Amino acid sequence: MPENKTSISDIEQSLHRQGFRMTEQKKKILKSIFLDGNTDCKEICYLLKAQSSGVSTATVYRTVRQLEELGFINRQGFCVNTKTHR
């Protein structure tokens, strides 16, 4: 794994600074994307529901959209962006 990867903690801090709440559901989605490598919203929904995580489909899609708008991911191929954010 490249050393310049943005950590989940960095993303949480960036979201918080920009006024987004960091809920337990959002943390589970971040973990699913950035630690477990899940790359599809439907896959993330399925896996989180299988874990009885309480994360709704709408929350997954909304969080993925926020991450894309902030430049943390690129949904074309669902690539995780490794650049550092303020």
Side-chain angles (χ1 to χ4, degrees):
M1 183 181 320
E3 289 181 31
N4 65 341
K5 280 228 183 242
T6 304
S7 72
I8 289 178
S9 177
D10 293 338
I11 294 167
E12 289 176 355
Q13 290 173 10
S14 180
L15 290 170
H16 181 72
R17 279 193 303 270
Q18 295 183 47
F20 294 100
R21 288 184 27 200
M22 186 48 57
T23 63
E24 287 303 312
Q25 290 85 2
K26 198 172 286 186
K27 288 178 183 182
K28 290 175 184 179
I29 295 166
L30 289 173
K31 180 186 176 296
S32 183
I33 295 169
F34 292 96
L35 295 181
D36 299 338
N38 297 313
T39 60
D40 178 77
C41 287
K42 288 181 183 178
E43 177 183 1
I44 294 166
C45 291
Y46 174 78
L47 293 170
L48 292 176
K49 285 180 191 267
Q51 298 171 7
S52 300
S53 65
V55 178
S56 73
T57 301
T59 300
V60 171
Y61 279 89
R62 186 173 40 253
T63 300
V64 167
R65 187 185 74 241
Q66 288 173 346
L67 293 171
E68 183 178 33
E69 288 172 355
L70 295 171
F72 287 111
I73 61 173
N74 174 358
R75 278 203 282 193
Q76 289 182 325
F78 211 113
C79 301
V80 176
N81 194 338
T82 60
K83 71 181 180 180
T84 304
H85 294 270
R86 297 186 236 161

